Amino acid sequence: MEKRMISTEFTEEDMPIESSLRPMALADYIGQEKVKKNLKVYIEAAKKGYKDAKTLLGDLVILGKVKGPEFNNIFSYYETIYSENDSNDIYILGLCYERGIGVKSDWVQAIKLYVKAYEFKNRGAMMHLADFVRENY
């Protein structure tokens, strides 16, 4: 099947372009007062320790949906809610280490966390491990 130049599917190649189109700080969101208000509520809830708020904010940062100084400490949010038994927490911490989000990039630590998440059958971890093996061996 011929690969089309235009597709509705999101690809890794889209990430830099998609990220560059988004506002760089919460204050840069123009005409989205409801979005800004909701994000501020989640930021405050995360600071107070609410796991769901921390998880949501972490997911938004990892996916490149939000940027800015308000989100610089996202790694510490994940680190405080990290559970040895939650494959998504383990996987997200792996992504933080892989991409250097809130922590110095460390592939060894990322792989260790992906392996641990893989043991819980986490699909994201499985895909990252497969990509790593394919690219490096």
Side-chain angles (χ1 to χ4, degrees):
M1 182 174 177
E2 182 180 333
K3 184 176 178 183
R4 295 186 55 175
M5 296 295 284
I6 299 174
S7 172
T8 59
E9 298 294 318
F10 186 80
T11 67
E12 286 290 326
E13 296 167 345
D14 295 331
M15 187 69 79
I17 296 166
E18 183 74 14
S19 296
S20 70
L21 296 173
R22 301 203 180 277
M24 295 303 288
L26 194 54
D28 295 338
Y29 282 81
I30 298 171
Q32 298 186 37
E33 295 307 315
K34 187 174 180 180
V35 172
K36 288 194 286 189
K37 182 179 176 185
N38 288 340
L39 282 172
K40 286 178 184 177
V41 169
Y42 275 100
I43 290 168
E44 288 306 311
K47 286 178 182 176
K48 291 179 180 178
Y50 290 97
K51 181 176 179 169
D52 290 343
K54 291 177 180 184
T55 301
L56 174 73
L57 289 174
D59 290 347
L60 291 173
V61 170
I62 295 292
L63 294 170
K65 302 292 184 186
V66 293
K67 294 180 181 179
E70 300 90 346
F71 307 102
N72 287 345
N73 58 352
I74 206 65
F75 177 78
S76 65
Y77 290 165
Y78 263 106
E79 200 171 39
T80 61
I81 63 165
Y82 170 73
S83 165
E84 293 280 333
N85 298 317
D86 187 322
S87 71
N88 192 56
D89 287 354
I90 298 166
Y91 170 65
I92 294 294
L93 276 178
L95 286 173
C96 288
Y97 276 105
E98 175 188 342
R99 298 177 182 174
I101 298 172
V103 66
K104 186 179 179 200
S105 182
D106 182 344
W107 263 99
V108 173
Q109 185 63 27
I111 295 297
K112 286 179 184 177
L113 289 164
Y114 290 152
V115 168
K116 191 170 208 168
Y118 171 78
E119 291 170 357
F120 288 101
K121 308 290 188 246
N122 183 286
R123 288 184 50 120
M126 290 178 193
M127 292 182 347
H128 272 79
L129 286 170
D131 289 345
F132 179 79
V133 169
R134 185 174 40 254
E135 293 170 7
N136 295 289
Y137 293 100

